[in-house]
């Protein structure tokens, strides 16, 4: 039978299939097996890539991160480039754009309270420091039974370093930074001083123009050879030195607490020259101070990268309070330093780290400076179970992933000592006394009571500052604002929403029940540095 006949015949097809059928089946099975192995290989490859990425993050989390907390002093909301400032802050802007900008972040209106709450995670009403700052001539300080952030981090293996401003008390040796959890301290103890000489005016001097008392220490010893070194550069240099000599077998906590941009307005001439087109000399100097600080932050960051620490570092930049009335800008916010208006307490802050799951974002989560205590301890794989009751929350998940914040309200302060002459502001057993100086933020609402500085809105121009005054009565002592809708605090809603007012007054009353009395001892002439070798330091 020839091939053509065979192909046309049914019997031939049957015979052909019998002979070649097993071979076809065999080839088909091989083909299916090859395709399956290829798919499995692709799946395993994808799973491997995903697993590798997860393992990288997991490995970073297994190793405790280095923590660098940079705190600026009196730095205003509108003094950073990404908030629209004319001041040049390229390093801060870049770091913020690579991390998470915290746009609903609160601090305290003055220096010491912000630092107290950073160090303890607790409101100042709970340890009696709700009135003013810790001064250099009164025997008070952060109570010794308050456990500090560096103490907790040191317990779990961190090396701890403070460079710059302390301002949490020094009248006895026990209150100095080296006794409060820091392995090293290079900086100053009081609230402010000359940037070049590192001396401050002695309030006991009859000549206010004279500077009496050196305030610069390396560990416990006065530093005598840095007269003429600008403090921003000095503290930058010391921070870089700590980074360079860090023991790589330990995680590091570096608290870089700049003097900048606190008064007095002083900057090297080269930075001032950058703003020669600015007509107002005070604004020119202030801008120069900001740019010097920005450059220092960039240099410290470069040191972290050059040392190989950056990949496992969490860097936080924060202000301690808003800008002063005379310098800096909180526009468009109302008020300034030492007020409970948004300009005094809404702070510039951002977080930058490879440990962030979402980068290049803005966070609207409600966050307070007291939250850093539990957040950083938990991030460092420590525990707060043995701490006193905390007012701070662990907000890392909100910052890193954008999750809803666990915080819904902030007690901004209750200060019964800040009272208008002729009035009684202490609260009794009844309702909360609305003459008491206080403020609270609860979700979108903010309530202020007492005789507040009326604040205002400062428009900063290169030719000078221009103030817009509020129309409130000088005897007004109750305000309610919807901060989300009215962040400038222009429209008082207290009469429109009396139920909200009563609810927030009840919250203030509840907080006040947990408060301890303010501790405000009289000035002590024994603090005079003339009696202690011309150096500020412990006197009791």
């Amino acid at each position: 039978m020839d091939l053509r006949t065979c192909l046309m015949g049914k019997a031939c097809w049957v015979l052909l299939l019998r002979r070649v059928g097993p071979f076809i089946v065999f080839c088909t099975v091989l083909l299916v097996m090859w395709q399956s192995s290829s798919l499995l290989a692709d799946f395993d490859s994808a799973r491997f890539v995903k697993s590798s990425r997860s393992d990288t993050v997991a490995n970073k989390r297994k190793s405790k991160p280095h923590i660098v907390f940079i705190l600026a002093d009196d730095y205003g909301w509108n003094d950073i480039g990404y908030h629209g400032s004319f001041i040049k802050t390229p390093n801060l802007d870049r770091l913020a754009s690579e991390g998470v900008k915290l746009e609903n972040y609160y601090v305290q209106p003055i220096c010491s309270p912000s630092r107290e709450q950073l160090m303890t995670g607790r409101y100042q009403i709970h340890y009696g420091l709700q009135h003013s700052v810790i001064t250099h001539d009164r025997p008070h300080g952060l109570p010794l039974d308050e456990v500090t952030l560096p103490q907790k981090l040191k317990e779990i293996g961190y090396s701890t370093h403070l460079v710059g401003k302390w301002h949490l008390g020094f009248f006895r040796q026990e209150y100095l930074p080296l006794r409060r959890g820091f392995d090293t301290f290079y900086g100053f103890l009081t609230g402010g001083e000359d940037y070049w000489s590192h001396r401050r005016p002695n309030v006991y001097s009859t000549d206010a123009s004279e500077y009496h008392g050196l305030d610069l220490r390396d560990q416990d010893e006065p530093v005598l050879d840095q007269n003429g070194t600008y403090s921003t550069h000095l503290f930058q240099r010391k921070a870089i030195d700590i980074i360079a000599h860090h023991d790589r077998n330990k995680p590091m906590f570096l608290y870089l607490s700049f003097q900048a941009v606190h008064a007095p307005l002083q900057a090297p001439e080269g930075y001032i020259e950058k703003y020669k087109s600015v007509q107002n000399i005070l604004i020119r100097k202030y801008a120069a101070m900001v740019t010097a600080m920005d450059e220092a932050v960039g240099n410290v960051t470069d040191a972290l990268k050059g040392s190989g620490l950056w990949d496992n570092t969490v860097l936080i930049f924060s202000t301690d309070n808003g800008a002063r009335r005379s310098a800096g800008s909180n526009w468009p916010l109302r008020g300034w330093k030492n007020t409970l208006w948004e300009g005094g307490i809404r702070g510039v802050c951002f977080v930058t780290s490879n440990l962030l799951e979402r980068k290049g974002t803005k966070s609207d989560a409600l966050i307070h400076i007291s939250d850093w205590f539990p957040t950083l301890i938990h991030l460092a794989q420590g525990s707060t179970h043995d701490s006193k009751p905390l007012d701070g929350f662990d907000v890392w998940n909100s910052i890193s992933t954008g999750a809803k914040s666990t915080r819904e309200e902030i007690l901004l302060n209750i200060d019964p000592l800040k009272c208008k002459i002729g009035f009684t502001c202490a609260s009794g057993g009844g309702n909360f006394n609305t003459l008491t100086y206080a403020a609270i933020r609860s979700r979108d609402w903010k309530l202020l009571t007492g005789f507040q500085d009326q604040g205002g809105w400062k428009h900063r121009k290169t030719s000078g500052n221009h103030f817009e005054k509020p129309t409130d009565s000088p005897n007004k002592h109750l305000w309610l604002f919807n901060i989300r809708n009215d962040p400038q605090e222009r429209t008082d809603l207290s009469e429109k929403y009396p139920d909200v007012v009563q609810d927030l007054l009840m919250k203030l009353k509840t907080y006040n029940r947990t408060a301890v009395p303010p501790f405000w001892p009289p000035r002590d002439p024994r603090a005079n540095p003339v009696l202690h070798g011309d150096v500020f330091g412990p006197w009791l």
Side-chain angles (χ1 to χ4, degrees):
M1 183 183 295
D2 60 17
L3 180 62
R4 181 179 297 178
T5 304
C6 181
L7 291 174
M8 294 178 64
K10 183 176 180 180
C12 185
W13 276 106
V14 173
L15 180 63
L16 185 63
L17 286 172
R18 285 177 180 174
R19 290 180 178 178
V20 302
F23 177 75
I24 293 172
V25 171
F26 176 72
C27 290
T28 302
V29 170
L30 286 177
L31 179 63
V32 170
M33 290 177 65
W34 177 80
Q35 289 180 330
S36 297
S37 63
S38 178
L39 288 171
L40 286 171
D42 288 344
F43 175 76
D44 286 342
S45 177
R47 184 171 59 182
F48 174 76
V49 171
K50 184 176 180 181
S51 175
S52 296
R53 290 172 182 166
S54 299
D55 288 346
T56 300
V57 174
N59 287 336
K60 286 180 180 177
R61 291 184 182 275
K62 285 178 184 177
S63 60
K64 296 174 181 177
H66 308 295
I67 300 168
V68 178
F69 198 105
I70 302 176
L71 191 66
D73 201 336
D74 294 0
Y75 189 49
W77 178 262
N78 191 234
D79 291 332
I80 196 164
Y82 68 78
H83 280 166
S85 178
F86 75 90
I87 301 175
K88 299 176 180 66
T89 57
N91 293 293
L92 295 174
D93 293 342
R94 174 181 51 80
L95 288 168
S97 68
E98 294 170 353
V100 179
K101 301 170 185 173
L102 306 185
E103 299 292 88
N104 206 9
Y105 171 75
Y106 284 83
V107 290
Q108 291 300 295
I110 43 179
C111 304
S112 294
S114 282
R115 296 159 201 274
E116 293 158 9
Q117 297 188 38
L118 167 65
M119 287 290 112
T120 66
R122 288 161 44 83
Y123 292 148
Q124 69 265 44
I125 66 165
H126 293 142
Y127 38 82
L129 296 179
Q130 57 267 57
H131 182 68
S132 192
V133 297
I134 294 173
T135 65
H136 62 275
D137 58 354
R138 298 176 192 269
H140 63 156
L142 182 66
L144 298 177
D145 61 348
E146 293 294 326
V147 177
T148 67
L149 176 59
Q151 284 175 318
K152 294 292 290 184
L153 292 174
K154 194 171 180 179
E155 288 175 1
I156 54 176
Y158 275 73
S159 63
T160 56
H161 312 275
L162 167 57
V163 177
K165 179 173 173 176
W166 173 236
H167 207 191
L168 290 179
F170 61 89
F171 73 101
R172 293 186 187 277
Q173 289 282 345
E174 302 94 296
Y175 289 81
L176 294 176
L178 297 180
R179 276 71 170 180
R180 305 309 300 269
F182 287 104
D183 294 322
T184 69
F185 168 56
Y186 190 101
F188 62 108
L189 300 170
T190 62
E193 59 189 9
D194 186 271
Y195 279 74
W196 301 96
S197 69
H198 315 295
R199 302 172 70 84
R200 66 172 290 128
N202 179 359
V203 295
Y204 298 101
S205 174
T206 57
D207 184 352
S209 67
E210 290 183 1
Y211 278 71
H212 293 280
L214 175 70
D215 188 12
L216 183 63
R217 288 174 177 260
D218 184 353
Q219 300 296 79
D220 276 339
E221 297 301 318
V223 177
L224 305 175
D225 61 352
Q226 293 301 324
N227 185 8
T229 306
Y230 189 62
S231 77
T232 303
H233 294 159
L234 180 61
F235 297 149
Q236 162 205 290
R237 189 174 70 200
K238 188 62 180 179
I240 291 173
D241 184 63
I242 289 171
I243 292 167
H245 293 91
H246 174 65
D247 180 357
R248 305 306 174 85
N249 296 316
K250 300 184 72 173
M252 174 183 67
F253 173 55
L254 172 59
Y255 175 31
L256 176 52
S257 179
F258 280 116
Q259 179 180 355
V261 287
H262 194 283
L265 298 182
Q266 297 173 320
E269 197 59 40
Y271 296 95
I272 297 175
E273 181 67 16
K274 294 176 185 289
Y275 297 96
K276 59 184 177 182
S277 62
V278 176
Q279 301 171 38
N280 185 284
I281 185 59
L282 295 180
I283 296 176
R284 194 186 314 161
K285 287 183 177 181
Y286 182 85
M289 295 168 73
V290 172
T291 294
M293 178 180 68
D294 175 84
E295 182 184 276
V297 172
N299 290 337
V300 170
T301 304
D302 288 345
L304 289 165
K305 292 177 180 178
S307 66
L309 301 179
W310 178 253
D311 286 345
N312 193 33
T313 291
V314 175
L315 184 144
I316 300 134
F317 178 88
S318 169
T319 184
D320 65 344
N321 47 252
R324 303 182 299 282
R325 190 182 192 278
S326 59
S329 174
N330 301 312
W331 176 260
L333 304 177
R334 180 176 180 175
W336 28 79
K337 174 182 179 177
N338 207 23
T339 75
L340 291 172
W341 305 108
E342 292 292 283
I345 57 176
R346 181 82 74 98
V348 172
C349 186
F350 63 80
V351 181
T352 301
S353 175
N354 287 331
L355 299 183
L356 293 167
E357 294 189 32
R358 296 199 323 162
K359 302 177 186 177
T361 62
K362 292 181 180 180
S363 172
D364 192 46
L366 188 62
I367 296 175
H368 185 240
I369 195 167
S370 65
D371 295 333
W372 293 122
F373 182 90
T375 299
L376 296 179
I377 289 173
H378 294 158
L379 191 62
Q381 303 169 30
S383 172
T384 58
H385 291 317
D386 58 346
S387 302
K388 289 185 177 183
L390 296 179
D391 299 302
F393 292 80
D394 181 353
V395 292
W396 180 254
N397 198 37
S398 298
I399 296 171
S400 179
T401 70
K404 188 177 184 293
S405 176
T406 50
R407 177 183 283 283
E408 293 188 339
E409 71 182 35
I410 300 170
L411 174 67
L412 297 166
N413 199 15
I414 303 173
D415 182 1
L417 297 186
K418 197 168 184 176
C419 188
K420 197 170 184 178
I421 296 175
F423 292 86
T424 302
C425 297
S427 294
N431 295 326
F432 186 82
N433 185 348
T434 57
L435 296 176
T436 303
Y437 185 85
I440 186 172
R441 165 86 191 259
S442 183
R443 297 186 180 180
D444 293 343
W445 295 105
K446 179 181 175 183
L447 184 79
L448 300 96
T449 64
F451 296 104
Q452 303 281 337
D453 176 312
Q454 296 299 292
W457 298 268
K458 182 174 68 175
H459 304 257
R460 179 180 58 194
K461 299 180 181 179
T462 57
S463 59
N465 296 319
H466 302 270
F467 292 90
E468 179 186 352
K469 295 182 179 180
T471 58
D472 298 328
S473 164
N475 290 322
K476 185 175 176 61
H477 52 86
L478 181 68
W479 297 261
L480 176 70
F481 300 101
N482 185 309
I483 290 298
R484 185 168 296 279
N485 297 335
D486 180 23
Q488 291 188 307
E489 297 173 295
R490 291 183 179 271
T491 305
D492 175 24
L493 300 174
S494 59
E495 294 185 2
K496 187 175 181 180
Y497 295 99
D499 291 346
V500 176
V501 170
Q502 289 305 312
D503 178 61
L504 295 181
L505 287 175
M506 182 58 68
K507 288 179 180 292
L508 284 174
K509 179 181 178 180
T510 301
Y511 278 115
N512 204 34
R513 285 174 177 163
T514 68
V516 300
F519 181 64
W520 188 243
R523 292 173 61 186
D524 189 345
R526 291 174 293 178
N528 190 342
V530 171
L531 304 175
H532 309 283
D534 196 36
V535 175
F536 281 96
W539 68 88
L540 292 180

